[in-house]
Amino acid sequence: MSLNNIEITKETLIRSKVHEMILDGELRPGDKLPSENELSDAYDAKRIEARNALVQLEKMGIVYGKQGVGRFVNEPLPTIEFVVTGTTSFSDKMQEQNIPYESRVICADYAGEKESEYYRSSLELSEGVNIFKVTRLRIVNHVPCAIHISYIREDLFPNIYNDKNNLQSVYTYFKNSGYKQLSSKDRVISTQFPTIEEMNILNCSELVPLLVFETDTYDKETGDCLERVKILYRSDLFKHQLSDEN
């Protein structure tokens, strides 16, 4: 089967049709899915093709299986309403919605040579200025949902290495360092599928796309670029609203 010269396999067809049944409400949370044999007969496919289609739906978090019983429609995960801005901390956004939230620093050290070279121009740095990398895991409703990476100029924050265990909120750190008026520039949004490391951190499968948000954080008073931010959101947990905030 083909559509606009794109080959649609039986596996893809079955996965899509079952997903449509769920989206249309024909199958609701807790309902049992048709069996592999029923699906293979309905779409003139091999049983292995039906099985692979259902396995992919499991990896997407849409269905779950009970050994010896069958597969069932999953309860959808709670969706977080989220305004994408670069000037309000993630924790403040969660507190505004009264959502249980935790931030864990999983890595805080100097960026590697390749990363430093890549981000040096973005941060408007001269040679010899170190870049400090802080990686935090965002946990919302007790579910790991985002990886937040900050690339910070050490020349503006010379004590950052000694403060590395207190960087759960980089915005708070900036404000405590005297940078009170923050703004974001050059905001870019893209998507990617997770690496093995990201799958382990976010507890998701390779079929859950990540929404990647990148921006530069500036101090309005001095015009200095303080950091380059890269955030990887699980796309199945967030409903994003873009903001015109400057």
Side-chain angles (χ1 to χ4, degrees):
M1 178 180 179
S2 63
L3 180 65
N4 294 330
N5 297 321
I6 299 175
E7 189 67 27
I8 304 297
T9 65
K10 290 293 179 68
E11 184 178 306
T12 299
L13 176 64
I14 294 170
R15 186 189 71 232
S16 178
K17 291 297 183 181
V18 173
H19 194 191
E20 286 176 14
M21 293 168 69
I22 296 170
L23 292 174
D24 293 341
E26 186 176 342
L27 289 171
R28 298 183 177 275
D31 286 352
K32 187 177 181 181
L33 269 63
S35 69
E36 295 172 5
N37 284 333
E38 290 171 328
L39 289 170
S40 60
D41 288 343
Y43 294 100
D44 191 26
K46 299 176 182 177
R47 183 176 175 181
I48 187 62
E49 292 173 318
R51 179 179 302 169
N52 289 341
L54 296 177
V55 167
Q56 287 184 349
L57 288 170
E58 285 189 61
K59 289 184 176 182
M60 294 165 69
I62 296 170
V63 307
Y64 66 95
K66 290 183 179 180
Q67 190 169 3
V69 180
R71 292 180 175 86
F72 300 80
V73 181
N74 237 335
E75 289 283 349
L77 291 168
T79 301
I80 304 162
E81 298 282 345
F82 193 82
V83 180
V84 177
T85 70
T87 57
T88 305
S89 72
F90 191 98
S91 56
D92 287 344
K93 293 169 185 175
M94 295 300 99
Q95 290 172 7
E96 289 171 2
Q97 300 181 62
N98 198 29
I99 296 176
Y101 162 77
E102 180 185 354
S103 179
R104 295 179 189 170
V105 177
I106 57 178
C107 181
D109 208 340
Y110 292 104
E113 184 177 346
K114 288 185 178 179
E115 283 183 308
S116 294
E117 183 178 347
Y118 181 79
Y119 286 105
R120 191 172 300 281
S121 60
S122 174
L123 291 168
E124 302 174 359
L125 296 182
S126 58
E127 291 293 332
V129 176
N130 290 324
I131 297 175
F132 199 79
K133 178 182 177 181
V134 183
T135 305
R136 285 149 291 160
L137 175 63
R138 308 302 198 181
I139 302 171
V140 178
N141 288 321
H142 312 292
V143 177
C145 63
I147 300 170
H148 190 135
I149 307 170
S150 294
Y151 296 92
I152 304 170
R153 297 175 52 167
E154 188 188 39
D155 59 332
L156 298 180
F157 304 94
N159 296 318
I160 194 166
Y161 183 84
N162 294 329
D163 297 333
K164 64 181 181 179
N165 295 322
N166 300 308
L167 296 172
Q168 287 81 5
S169 173
V170 168
Y171 274 21
T172 299
Y173 183 73
F174 287 166
K175 291 181 178 181
N176 289 340
S177 300
Y179 297 97
K180 306 292 186 181
Q181 300 295 322
L182 303 177
S183 65
S184 65
K185 295 182 181 179
D186 302 323
R187 285 173 277 180
V188 177
I189 295 178
S190 59
T191 58
Q192 68 180 51
F193 286 98
T195 64
I196 292 175
E197 181 182 11
E198 291 159 357
M199 284 189 282
N200 288 330
I201 294 173
L202 294 173
N203 192 26
C204 66
S205 84
E206 70 272 20
L207 294 182
V208 175
L210 303 181
L211 182 66
V212 184
F213 173 64
E214 296 183 83
T215 188
D216 294 321
T217 303
Y218 280 79
D219 174 58
K220 288 184 178 179
E221 184 175 346
T222 64
D224 289 331
C225 181
L226 308 181
E227 67 166 344
R228 178 68 178 178
V229 176
K230 182 178 182 180
I231 312 174
L232 298 91
Y233 297 101
R234 278 183 55 170
S235 62
D236 58 340
L237 295 177
F238 287 92
K239 182 179 181 181
H240 290 80
Q241 176 184 346
L242 302 183
S243 169
D244 294 329
E245 179 182 350
N246 294 316

